Amino acid sequence: MFAVDRRLLTRLEPVVRRVLLVDPNAHAARLITDIMKGLGTREIAVEADEHAGLKAAARLDPGLIFTEATGQDLDGDAFARAVRRSDLACRRAPIIMVTAEATATSIKGARDAGVHEFLRKPFTSADLIKRVENVVLKPRNWVEGVMYVGPDRRRFNSGEYSGPAKRKSDKPSDAAAALAEAKDQAMRILAAALDQFDADPTQAARAVKEQAVQLKAIGIKAADSRLVVAVGALEVTLAGGPPTKATLSAPIGGLLAMHQAAGTPLKKAG
């Protein structure tokens, strides 16, 4: 049906080995299934609704997920959010949303739900392969927040986008600037997680733990011993039992105060 370079297939194989497809349209599901098998997929589960899709995700642990945007008992955005906020092993797996209606609103909704790529129907095998290449070969940083969980939205690469050039912030930065940007984002997520802790304690705690990991790595890379020590205080609190807003206030407050004292005003997370 189509020819793909063997070297590319080798690079795709770890991700596409197991695939989950949630789509009530049998014809579209068959087309995606055939293309993915040509890319090396060995196991593929096809489901028609959100509930069955989540059960299949738990059973299969897919490396890649496709979902239709809408259907009977299917809301693709809600399904993506459910995967991202779950405890599933595949919660960070790339998600490609497929739909016949690619509007600015639907693309933004998919992006904000934690979707990696957007694919408009009808599509060719080349269209689909390009999306798969994007999610496998151009990985994006993971954002573990409270209001948002998913790949970095600032690097969203919808194949349907036809507007002007990307923003200046999307251009590659040098190593120091990249570390500073990552540090600022982690601090903003910490501030938001503390502020919104009571609204969603489980996700807020998960967001805090992820930022502690990120900030410690940043501190080590930047040889910033003060940051590493401050993160250590947060780690001690997290290791002391289920975190609460009260127990997290002091260590997070210390980190935020240090960040602001360095002359970096915090912006809203998201």
Side-chain angles (χ1 to χ4, degrees):
M1 181 171 62
F2 54 87
V4 181
D5 183 83
R6 284 187 176 276
R7 289 172 297 181
L8 174 59
L9 291 178
T10 299
R11 298 180 69 184
L12 298 181
E13 196 274 337
V15 175
V16 306
R17 185 186 302 129
R18 295 187 304 276
V19 171
L20 171 61
L21 170 56
V22 185
D23 193 331
N25 185 304
H27 174 72
R30 171 53 59 187
L31 176 58
I32 293 175
T33 297
D34 289 344
I35 295 173
M36 292 310 302
K37 285 184 176 179
L39 292 180
T41 297
R42 300 175 189 175
E43 297 179 67
I44 185 163
V46 180
E47 302 294 348
D49 61 72
E50 287 176 50
H51 180 69
L54 289 171
K55 290 181 66 176
R59 180 180 68 253
L60 182 65
D61 185 18
L64 176 63
I65 299 172
F66 290 90
T67 181
E68 165 62 66
T70 58
Q72 185 173 354
D73 300 319
L74 174 61
D75 178 330
D77 289 353
F79 172 72
R81 281 192 294 269
V83 170
R84 297 304 187 215
R85 292 173 176 273
S86 72
D87 291 319
L88 294 170
C90 65
R91 64 186 293 265
R92 296 193 183 197
I95 298 178
I96 298 176
M97 181 169 286
V98 188
T99 182
E101 296 187 16
T103 65
T105 299
S106 62
I107 291 174
K108 183 178 183 300
R111 182 202 68 171
D112 292 345
V115 167
H116 279 73
E117 287 279 344
F118 207 88
L119 179 62
R120 186 203 300 263
K121 294 179 180 177
F123 55 85
T124 65
S125 58
D127 294 330
L128 188 147
I129 293 170
K130 184 61 177 177
R131 302 307 190 279
V132 174
E133 284 186 58
N134 281 346
V135 300
V136 177
L137 305 182
K138 301 175 183 178
R140 289 150 58 197
N141 293 334
W142 185 259
V143 177
E144 191 76 53
V146 179
M147 300 304 292
Y148 175 75
V149 182
D152 193 336
R153 290 177 291 185
R154 294 170 303 174
R155 304 294 183 263
F156 188 69
N157 292 317
S158 170
E160 306 301 335
Y161 181 72
S162 58
K166 291 183 178 181
R167 324 180 268 197
K168 291 180 180 178
S169 62
D170 288 339
K171 293 181 180 178
S173 344
D174 60 39
L179 279 180
E181 182 181 352
K183 178 182 175 184
D184 183 63
Q185 175 168 274
M187 291 291 187
R188 286 186 284 116
I189 293 175
L190 277 181
L194 186 62
D195 182 59
Q196 300 160 6
F197 194 93
D198 293 335
D200 191 344
T202 299
Q203 183 56 39
R206 185 152 60 181
V208 170
K209 291 175 183 177
E210 178 69 14
Q211 304 325 305
V213 172
Q214 297 296 328
L215 285 170
K216 186 173 185 178
I218 290 168
I220 292 172
K221 287 182 181 178
D224 186 341
S225 58
R226 292 182 68 242
L227 177 58
V228 173
V229 170
V231 173
L234 177 56
E235 290 178 323
V236 169
T237 299
L238 292 170
T244 65
K245 186 171 185 176
T247 61
L248 291 172
S249 292
I252 291 179
L255 280 163
L256 298 179
M258 180 190 301
H259 190 55
Q260 291 177 315
T264 311
L266 283 176
K267 301 175 184 177
K268 268 192 170 181

